[in-house]
Amino acid sequence: FKVAGEGLELTITLDAKWQARPFQQAVALPFVKKFNSQQREGGRQLSVEALCGVQIDGAALSRVADARLAAAGLVVPPAASRVELTFGEPPPTELRLRVACGDVSVKLTLDKRWLGKTVAEAVVKPFLSVYNRRQPTATPPRTPEQAVEIHADGAKLPSAKEALRMGPLEALGWHCTRVDLFFSYEAVRAAAKPRPMLGQSVGHMSTADYREATELLWTHRKLNKADGAAIARSFTAASPLRKLKYLYLYGNSLGDEGLAALAPALRREHAPALRELHLSTNAIGSEGVHALAELCRPSPKLAALSLHDNRISDEGVFALADAISGGSFVVEKVTLHTNPAVSAEGVRRMTEACAGADFAEPTPDRGPTPYIPLDHTPQRWLERGDVDK
């Protein structure tokens, strides 16, 4: 069968022995070696660890951004004729973490050697070596196996026991900066601080208020996934919002679940006049962008969509680019800079789909005049209606 990607195509034949080997070893690794051997000095180098997408005869292997997990047990069907590989950014060679439990916090830097160990060995044991010394003498020392929950950047990992056996990059993610450890469910409950209701965060608004609003500026309000769902309920209850043109939500923590909850409420039937949607700096990953592309269709005819300074990878970019190309999502300009996991292929795909795709970070000599950082002040030109008011 043919194996293609990154502008290279080659033919691979697997006998019975090689068919029994992992996909990464039998297919991805030979492709990576061939690609790297053809690059000039200083050219792009691929790695198997950067594999982020696999298609077999046009069918995607998985929607998971990190396709390495799914590819590990993949067997190429005997009738397959073409395998397409997509590569994202190479894995980091270093991970800097702040690990905390209660009032004890420790900074850890994991280099390549430590990234090759498990979370228990590389993260929890070094932390506990400090934590246990700070506890009263009569307190039994904690061990990694006693952890009941592990949170990475505020998100609970599905299973603490499984996470302890996994590598740091696989369990925590490539861009994790904080790990919280909990050794009792009482500690978990104590850490779950009550959140204000949406009205307390953004101000109480009636259905009539929503219908009359042309601009909603809810930035840096500590909005989370529950607030995303609450906003969606308010929007649909007041639908259609015929006057709403500008929605500013940057600088919050909506995350993937918050955006997935909000996306259906932003469809054209609910927000027909929406022109600008600002979602930068919201801890949004590819799953959130995929939900936006899938659930917000048909979309309003957006002039601007800001998704910069998030955690989006190629998978999210591909999903949005496909929706734009297919006409179900309409937007003139998309800002996506400061999403380190987006590769050159992601930039190419989005640029082809949307002429206004922008991956360049703003600088003092580039942007509105006078220059104002995009994540500090809403960016739009005054319209006649603003002047009249």
Side-chain angles (χ1 to χ4, degrees):
F1 53 88
K2 300 286 187 182
V3 182
E6 306 294 332
L8 173 66
E9 182 175 290
L10 55 86
T11 300
I12 290 182
T13 301
L14 303 181
D15 59 19
K17 183 178 86 171
W18 280 92
Q19 287 181 40
R21 296 188 179 184
F23 176 86
Q24 292 169 295
Q25 181 183 1
V27 179
L29 185 58
F31 179 87
V32 165
K33 288 183 176 180
K34 183 67 174 179
F35 179 91
N36 291 341
S37 68
Q38 295 183 358
Q39 299 304 298
R40 296 180 178 178
E41 186 176 353
R44 184 187 181 195
Q45 295 288 299
L46 301 181
S47 66
V48 174
E49 292 78 12
L51 180 66
C52 65
V54 179
Q55 288 190 352
I56 299 179
D57 288 336
L61 167 68
S62 173
R63 282 182 50 197
V64 181
D66 186 2
R68 292 175 295 118
L69 298 180
L74 174 68
V75 176
V76 179
S81 60
R82 185 177 181 86
V83 175
E84 295 189 22
L85 306 178
T86 304
F87 294 85
E89 65 169 331
T93 57
E94 181 180 270
L95 199 61
R96 296 186 179 185
L97 302 172
R98 179 175 289 278
V99 186
C101 178
D103 58 356
V104 179
S105 176
V106 176
K107 288 183 178 180
L108 295 178
T109 299
L110 307 184
D111 58 20
K112 200 167 185 178
R113 179 172 65 93
W114 285 97
L115 290 176
K117 298 179 181 291
T118 64
V119 169
E121 296 171 322
V123 179
V124 183
K125 282 184 178 179
F127 170 80
L128 290 179
S129 67
V130 176
Y131 178 87
N132 287 330
R133 288 201 301 268
R134 297 186 183 180
Q135 303 309 302
T137 306
T139 302
R142 296 286 190 187
T143 64
E145 295 72 21
Q146 293 175 323
V148 297
E149 282 192 15
I150 300 176
H151 294 193
D153 284 336
K156 175 188 171 184
L157 301 185
S159 168
K161 289 184 178 180
E162 290 183 10
L164 290 171
R165 296 193 294 265
M166 298 164 67
L169 295 179
E170 183 181 349
L172 308 176
W174 290 10
H175 307 289
C176 181
T177 58
R178 181 181 176 90
V179 175
D180 289 284
L181 303 175
F182 299 92
F183 293 91
S184 69
Y185 290 107
E186 290 77 11
V188 174
R189 288 191 288 270
K193 299 178 181 178
R195 295 244 336 131
M197 299 296 288
L198 177 65
Q200 296 174 273
S201 300
V202 302
H204 293 281
M205 294 180 65
S206 66
T207 299
D209 292 333
Y210 279 109
R211 289 174 178 166
E212 290 298 315
T214 59
E215 180 176 272
L216 294 174
L217 181 58
W218 293 337
T219 63
H220 303 289
R221 304 294 181 92
K222 299 182 180 180
L223 303 181
N224 64 9
K225 61 183 180 181
D227 296 316
I231 294 172
R233 290 192 295 270
S234 298
F235 278 15
T236 52
S239 175
L241 307 178
R242 300 188 187 279
K243 296 185 178 182
L244 182 62
K245 290 186 177 181
Y246 310 102
L247 180 57
Y248 298 98
L249 292 170
Y250 60 78
N252 288 297
S253 300
L254 293 177
D256 290 338
E257 293 183 54
L259 182 53
L262 178 61
L266 299 177
R267 292 199 298 259
R268 194 176 302 170
E269 63 185 280
H270 298 308
L274 191 64
R275 293 290 289 159
E276 296 190 12
L277 176 60
H278 296 275
L279 296 166
S280 57
T281 320
N282 255 297
I284 295 169
S286 288
E287 289 295 326
V289 177
H290 198 288
L292 180 66
E294 288 290 319
L295 302 178
C296 182
R297 59 170 164 180
S299 76
K301 296 180 180 179
L302 296 175
L305 170 65
S306 66
L307 288 167
H308 55 274
D309 193 23
N310 277 298
R311 303 169 183 173
I312 303 165
S313 65
D314 280 345
E315 187 204 11
V317 172
F318 294 163
L320 184 58
D322 289 344
I324 295 172
S325 298
S328 61
F329 198 96
V330 181
V331 63
E332 297 173 16
K333 180 177 181 179
V334 184
T335 58
L336 280 158
H337 64 78
T338 324
N339 283 290
V342 178
S343 70
E345 178 64 13
V347 173
R348 184 189 69 79
R349 286 271 295 272
M350 179 57 73
T351 303
E352 286 183 354
C354 177
D358 189 355
F359 289 86
E361 295 188 28
T363 60
D365 60 345
R366 176 185 174 275
T369 304
Y371 169 73
I372 304 172
L374 290 175
D375 60 351
H376 284 76
T377 303
Q379 301 294 297
R380 65 179 177 85
W381 296 104
L382 288 177
E383 297 180 350
R384 182 69 192 180
D386 298 311
V387 177
D388 290 342
K389 289 179 182 178

